[in-house]
Amino acid sequence: MLLAALMLGGLSVPLTPSYAQSSNAARATPGMVRGGMVHGDMLHYRMKQGDNLYVLAQRHMSTMTAVEKVQRLNRIANPRAVPVGTVIRIPVAYLKYRPEKARLVAWRGDVGVGKTGAPTVGMELGEGIAIATGQGGFVTLQLSNGSRVSIPSQSLVRIARLREYSINQALDYEIAVDKGRLQTKAAPLKNPDSRYRIRTPIAVSAVRGTEFRIKLEGDEVPSLTEVLEGTVEVGAAAKGSPTTPVVKGEGLAVTSDGRNIAENLLPAPELVRPGKVQKDETLSFEVAPVSGATRYHAIFATDASLSEQFAETRSDTPVITYPSIPNGRYYVRVSALSPNGFEGFPANYGFARRLSSVKGSAAPFASDGSVLFKWDAMGEGKIVHRFQLYRDSVESTPYIDEPGLAKSEIRLDRLPPGTWYWRVGISVFDDGAVTDSWTTAEKLIIAREE
C-alpha cells in the first residue's frame, strides 16, 4: 500500500547544473503570497538599465516566444524600449531555473521514497518526489536554505516545487501534503523575491521564516494550520482565494467549501514528574491536565531537536503510555489537542530509560508445608534481588530480610499462622548506574489448621 501510494508522485526532475525550463506540472495557485515579488505564478521584475524583453528572454526565459506573451500581459508597446524602473509581470512557467534539492537527514520505521521506496540518510530529493510514512514511520528533510521539514507517521507528502530562478536568484519552494501531517521550521528567506509554501488539496500556507504545522487527516475534514512562531498566510486552494494572516498561537481550519474556522492554540502541557526515570516495562508520563484538552500527543526522539523521531502515541487521558524501549537517554515532546483537532504548543523533556521491573507471586503450600515465593525481574545489566517479609504490617521491622539473592525465588519453611506482607526489590547495575525497584507489598494469610 505504501509503494502504491508513492507511484502517484514518484517522478523526479533530472539534475542539471545550469538553469532549466520551468515545468507546468507543479504550477501553484495565484494570490497566496504577500510581501515578496513572486506572486502566485507571476514574478514581478523591475526593469534595469540595459534591459528589454528580448534581453530578458535570452538570459532568463526558456523560449524567445515568451516575449510576445509577456508583452501582451503587461501591455507594452515596444518590447525593445521599456523604461527603466517599470515593474513587469512574468509567468514563472517561462523562466529558467536551477533545480534545488532537499536532503534526507533522518528516518525511521516504515518509509518509502519515490519509485525506489528505499530511504537513505543523505540522499537528495528533487521536484516530484513523494515521501510516504506508514505506522511508526518518520522522516526529516533539510532544504538548501536551512529549513527543516518533519513528516510523522501515516502521511503522504510531495516535493511540488524546489527551484532557484535565474532572473533574480529567488527561491521557490512548495511542499504538498496529500495526506497526514507535516511540521516545518522555515529559515528566514533573505531574498524578498523568494517564497516557501505548504499546500494541501484544501488550503495553502505561505511563510517567510516561521514554525508551523499542517494537518490533513481525511478527505472530509478541514485542512489545519497551527502557527508556533511568526506569521503564516493561509488561503483556500481555489484560484484567486484571499488569504488570512495567522499569527503565533493561532490555528486556522479551512474547510472543503472554503470557510475559515479560527482557534487559539492550547498552552504547552507540563509533566507532573519531569525527572522520573522510566524503569517500568511500559513507559508512563503523567501530564498536568490542560483546560480544554480532549487528547494528548507525545512524540519520542533520540536527539534534543527531535529530528531523530522514532515513535508517537496519543492518549485520551492525562497519562501517556508507550511500550518498552531500550535503555538510554531520550526526549519526548508533549502537546494537547482541542475538540476541533488543533494541536497546541509543545513542551520538550529529556528522560532516562533504565528498565528495572519486578513482579512477584506466592505459590501454594508445598507438601512439606513450605511456601515458595517467585518473581519476574527485568533489566539490562546485572540484577541483584532482595526479599522482605513482614508480620502484621509493612511498617514493622522485617521478619525476614534477604539481600543479595542471585535467584528470583525463595522458599520458606513452615511459616507460623498469621497475616504476612511480602515484597521484592531488585537493583540493576548498568553502565555505572544503579536503578532500584520494588514490588508493592502483597498480603498473605496463613490460617491455623483446625
Side-chain angles (χ1 to χ4, degrees):
M1 292 297 293
L2 187 59
L3 293 179
L6 283 169
M7 296 301 293
L8 297 175
L11 300 178
S12 60
V13 176
L15 283 172
T16 56
S18 60
Y19 288 94
Q21 178 177 351
S22 176
S23 168
N24 291 327
R27 184 168 294 187
T29 303
M32 291 295 117
V33 179
R34 295 177 182 174
M37 293 182 70
V38 178
H39 298 264
D41 266 358
M42 293 290 176
L43 183 139
H44 289 191
Y45 178 75
R46 187 179 299 276
M47 301 295 285
K48 301 179 178 64
Q49 188 70 37
D51 282 344
N52 64 52
L53 294 190
Y54 287 100
V55 170
L56 293 181
Q58 184 178 18
R59 294 176 179 173
H60 305 297
M61 296 185 195
S62 55
T63 174
M64 294 300 292
T65 59
V67 171
E68 182 180 349
K69 298 176 181 178
V70 174
Q71 180 183 359
R72 287 200 307 268
L73 177 65
N74 294 276
R75 299 179 180 179
I76 296 173
N78 185 353
R80 297 186 182 275
V82 183
V84 174
T86 301
V87 177
I88 64 172
R89 294 178 297 157
I90 307 174
V92 296
Y94 301 151
L95 293 175
K96 295 178 182 179
Y97 66 90
R98 180 176 64 84
E100 290 276 301
K101 292 295 173 181
R103 185 166 59 90
L104 194 153
V105 296
W107 71 277
R108 188 182 291 260
D110 185 11
V111 174
V113 178
K115 288 184 176 181
T116 64
T120 58
V121 172
M123 71 186 305
E124 293 186 331
L125 311 177
E127 286 189 8
I129 292 294
I131 302 99
T133 58
Q135 183 67 38
F138 300 88
V139 175
T140 300
L141 306 178
Q142 180 162 314
L143 308 184
S144 60
N145 74 331
S147 298
R148 286 218 165 189
V149 177
S150 298
I151 306 170
S153 61
Q154 297 180 319
S155 299
L156 177 60
V157 172
R158 289 179 296 111
I159 301 176
R161 185 174 288 181
L162 210 60
R163 58 185 66 172
E164 179 188 271
Y165 292 114
S166 163
I167 195 169
N168 57 1
Q169 289 73 55
L171 300 176
D172 191 2
Y173 295 163
E174 182 177 307
I175 309 295
V177 181
D178 294 337
K179 174 188 174 183
R181 294 165 290 142
L182 176 149
Q183 179 167 336
T184 183
K185 189 165 188 178
L189 297 174
K190 299 178 181 179
N191 188 328
D193 299 348
S194 298
R195 67 178 176 182
Y196 178 24
R197 301 179 300 181
I198 309 293
R199 70 161 53 246
T200 71
I202 297 175
V204 179
S205 301
V207 300
R208 297 197 61 80
T210 188
E211 184 173 5
F212 67 104
R213 296 184 295 249
I214 297 293
K215 183 187 300 181
L216 182 73
E217 296 187 326
D219 295 336
E220 302 300 326
V221 301
S223 175
L224 303 184
T225 299
E226 301 153 350
V227 181
L228 305 178
E229 288 289 345
T231 302
V232 179
E233 292 284 343
V234 182
K239 183 175 180 180
S241 298
T243 62
T244 300
V246 184
V247 301
K248 176 181 177 179
E250 293 182 349
L252 186 71
V254 180
T255 64
S256 56
D257 57 2
R259 292 181 296 110
N260 291 345
I261 302 172
E263 184 175 298
N264 291 328
L265 301 183
L266 294 174
E270 295 183 2
L271 293 185
V272 174
R273 296 173 59 196
K276 172 186 174 183
V277 175
Q278 295 292 329
K279 59 186 181 180
D280 294 333
E281 183 178 7
T282 299
L283 304 184
S284 178
F285 302 86
E286 184 180 356
V287 179
V290 175
S291 178
T294 56
R295 301 187 78 190
Y296 297 89
H297 181 208
I299 297 176
F300 300 93
T302 56
D303 67 314
S305 64
L306 273 83
S307 297
E308 300 278 353
Q309 299 177 13
F310 65 87
E312 66 177 335
T313 187
R314 288 178 173 82
S315 174
D316 294 332
T317 72
V319 177
I320 300 172
T321 61
Y322 190 76
S324 182
I325 61 175
N327 283 1
R329 292 288 305 181
Y330 297 95
Y331 300 86
V332 61
R333 173 174 291 171
V334 184
S335 54
L337 282 79
S338 74
N340 290 326
F342 285 101
E343 187 169 342
F345 283 98
N348 296 345
Y349 295 91
F351 68 93
R353 166 59 166 173
R354 293 199 294 270
L355 178 61
S356 175
S357 177
V358 57
K359 299 177 182 178
S361 64
F365 285 101
S367 58
D368 60 358
S370 65
V371 180
L372 178 63
F373 297 87
K374 300 181 68 175
W375 56 90
D376 295 321
M378 292 181 291
E380 297 181 15
K382 180 182 178 181
I383 301 178
V384 177
H385 310 260
R386 183 174 184 176
F387 176 85
Q388 289 183 338
L389 182 70
Y390 298 85
R391 188 163 194 171
D392 297 327
S393 171
V394 292
E395 304 300 327
S396 62
T397 302
Y399 182 81
I400 294 177
D401 190 350
E402 290 286 346
L405 297 175
K407 297 175 62 176
S408 57
E409 64 179 42
I410 187 171
R411 184 184 297 273
L412 301 179
D413 293 331
R414 299 190 178 280
L415 284 176
T419 300
W420 301 89
Y421 294 89
W422 67 281
R423 67 174 188 167
V424 176
I426 62 171
S427 296
V428 180
F429 298 82
D430 180 41
D431 196 24
V434 181
T435 307
D436 297 323
S437 296
W438 285 89
T439 62
T440 302
E442 294 192 32
K443 186 176 182 180
L444 175 64
I445 299 176
I446 299 180
R448 187 179 301 276
E449 293 183 359
E450 295 182 1

